[in-house]
Amino acid sequence: MKRASLEGRKCVIYCRTSTDKQETGVETQYFDCRSQVSRYGLDLVIPSMEELTVEEGYSFLEYGGMPGGWFDEGQSGGLEPYERPGFKSMMAFVESGEADLIVLYHNDRLARDVELTLRVIRTCKEQGIEFLFGNLPDINIDTPEGKMLLTQMSSVSEYFRNDGKRKTKAGMARLKAEGRWLGETPYGFYALTKAENET
């Protein structure tokens, strides 16, 4: 069930957060991925500045201190991975033959949707591109057992994403029932904060 040795494989790192305030931010994810690179003796490919340029004005310059990493902040795990600017740019780089292994902190960084996860992995496998997930480092997802475990973990990720949406919806409904204003304050109005309202 364990995967073959990865030593010497050319790789890149991919990190994603749903918001820019996420506790396990891109810095923490990148640090963990770099640890995996060292642990398995991988060859981290660091693209040139020209190769980091992507469409739609999306810039990686702010991540200059984390070479070899590709990042998407504020990008939902339910969104098609190829629609995320960082992932899209990384795949163009990887598909050009620069690397054949993508290192991630956790399988839910790829997607929080079972169907999306399996489809992206299947598409990449056809091109000779593999994934190394920090929470499943020794699992060979080409085996029946490995694929089953990845599918189960992806199901858990999808469940927590959908459960979070359900809880948020319930909380919003309660606030609305209490007469609280939800969303942006209408133009020309001033909304009192809770502290201001109590004085």
Side-chain angles (χ1 to χ4, degrees):
M1 186 172 169
K2 288 194 173 184
R3 65 197 307 160
S5 172
L6 298 171
E7 189 171 358
R9 291 277 296 274
K10 291 187 178 299
C11 71
V12 294
I13 290 171
Y14 177 70
C15 306
R16 179 193 66 78
T17 61
S18 298
T19 70
D20 57 8
K21 296 185 175 77
Q22 204 159 314
E23 183 177 341
T24 309
V26 292
E27 295 85 358
T28 301
Q29 292 178 38
Y30 179 82
F31 178 82
D32 182 81
C33 290
R34 281 301 294 260
S35 298
Q36 293 181 61
V37 169
S38 298
R39 186 181 311 127
Y40 294 102
L42 303 174
D43 180 9
L44 182 62
V45 179
I46 301 174
S48 66
M49 264 324 202
E50 291 75 22
E51 290 167 314
L52 284 177
T53 303
V54 295
E55 299 175 11
E56 301 168 4
Y58 195 86
S59 171
F60 291 93
L61 292 176
E62 62 190 285
Y63 298 113
M66 295 184 280
W70 303 77
F71 309 88
D72 277 315
E73 282 194 289
Q75 297 288 325
S76 169
L79 182 68
E80 160 65 57
Y82 286 94
E83 291 179 11
R84 303 178 204 139
F87 189 88
K88 179 181 176 183
S89 181
M90 176 194 68
M91 289 308 301
F93 178 76
V94 171
E95 288 168 358
S96 70
E98 298 289 346
D100 63 358
L101 184 66
I102 301 170
V103 182
L104 296 91
Y105 167 73
H106 192 284
N107 67 278
D108 65 10
R109 299 303 85 200
L110 176 60
R112 282 183 175 270
D113 180 285
V114 178
E115 192 174 326
L116 284 178
T117 298
L118 297 180
R119 179 169 53 75
V120 170
I121 288 176
R122 185 167 47 250
T123 300
C124 287
K125 183 182 174 186
E126 291 170 358
Q127 302 175 67
I129 300 166
E130 293 185 67
F131 292 86
L132 173 62
F133 301 112
N135 61 319
L136 302 169
D138 297 320
I139 300 302
N140 179 1
I141 59 177
D142 288 332
T143 64
E145 297 85 0
K147 186 175 181 181
M148 177 186 72
L149 182 56
L150 175 63
T151 303
Q152 289 177 331
M153 291 298 291
S154 297
S155 297
V156 171
S157 298
E158 182 173 334
Y159 163 76
F160 279 113
R161 172 176 163 265
N162 291 332
D163 187 52
K165 287 164 63 176
R166 180 184 63 81
K167 289 174 180 173
T168 299
K169 189 175 179 181
M172 298 284 275
R174 179 182 63 82
L175 292 174
K176 188 175 181 180
E178 293 174 355
R180 299 192 192 184
W181 181 264
L182 302 175
E184 295 277 333
T185 304
Y187 180 77
F189 286 82
Y190 175 79
L192 291 173
T193 65
K194 184 177 180 182
E196 290 172 329
N197 192 43
E198 290 174 350
T199 57

